[in-house]
Amino acid sequence: DPVMVNPNSFNTLKVVLRETGKATGCKRYTHNDVKRQWLNVCFDGLPYALKMKIVFNFVTCSLCQMELEDMDDLNSHMEEHHILEDDKFFKEFDLNLLRVGDGHYEMNLIKSHE
């Protein structure tokens, strides 16, 4: 089923990735005996750039489930809310194997002929 949002913003891309993970039965979202540990995802253009930021920087605090855009935000959050706790976090979208879509190849072919 299509996810009916435009994946050209940070927040809507998170919705698309979560719904795709649920629909494909990734273990992080189903919490049962599913074997799928990762998901192959192709993007082009702006969603590709946003996806890279989400995969490598986006973290969630394991203690309170607060979503944070990068490790600097996590450090500030831990100092402010969980002073006596160890840093506990997970990268929710690290299960996505990022691939360049066919549009990137086509754009590069066109540029090389100019």
Side-chain angles (χ1 to χ4, degrees), residues 42-44 99-109:
C42 294
F43 284 101
D44 288 320
R99 298 288 187 125
V100 176
D102 290 337
H104 265 61
Y105 296 117
E106 292 172 8
M107 289 185 291
N108 289 332
L109 284 172

Side-chain angles (χ1 to χ4, degrees), residues 23-41:
T24 57
C26 285
K27 188 173 185 174
R28 178 164 293 156
Y29 298 108
T30 58
H31 306 293
N32 57 22
D33 294 332
V34 174
K35 301 286 187 210
R36 181 180 290 272
Q37 297 287 332
W38 56 273
L39 183 62
N40 189 17
V41 182

Side-chain angles (χ1 to χ4, degrees), residues 4-93:
M4 301 305 289
V5 296
N6 185 349
N8 285 331
S9 77
F10 198 76
N11 290 328
T12 56
L13 190 56
K14 289 189 301 187
V15 170
V16 170
L17 294 172
R18 284 183 182 132
E19 291 301 316
T20 305
K22 291 174 187 175
T24 57
C26 285
K27 188 173 185 174
R28 178 164 293 156
Y29 298 108
T30 58
H31 306 293
N32 57 22
D33 294 332
V34 174
K35 301 286 187 210
R36 181 180 290 272
Q37 297 287 332
W38 56 273
L39 183 62
N40 189 17
V41 182
C42 294
F43 284 101
D44 288 320
L46 179 61
Y48 180 82
L50 292 172
K51 174 70 171 87
M52 286 189 60
K53 288 181 182 178
I54 289 175
V55 167
F56 295 113
N57 299 327
F58 186 80
V59 295
T60 302
C61 176
S62 297
L63 302 170
C64 67
Q65 304 305 310
M66 184 169 184
E67 298 176 347
L68 305 155
E69 291 191 16
D70 58 31
M71 293 302 289
D72 292 335
D73 290 345
L74 177 67
N75 292 334
S76 298
H77 171 75
M78 293 302 290
E79 289 175 4
E80 187 174 326
H81 298 284
H82 309 292
I83 295 173
L84 300 176
E85 301 287 334
D86 292 332
D87 286 357
K88 295 182 180 178
F89 66 93
F90 63 95
K91 292 187 175 187
E92 178 179 356
F93 301 109

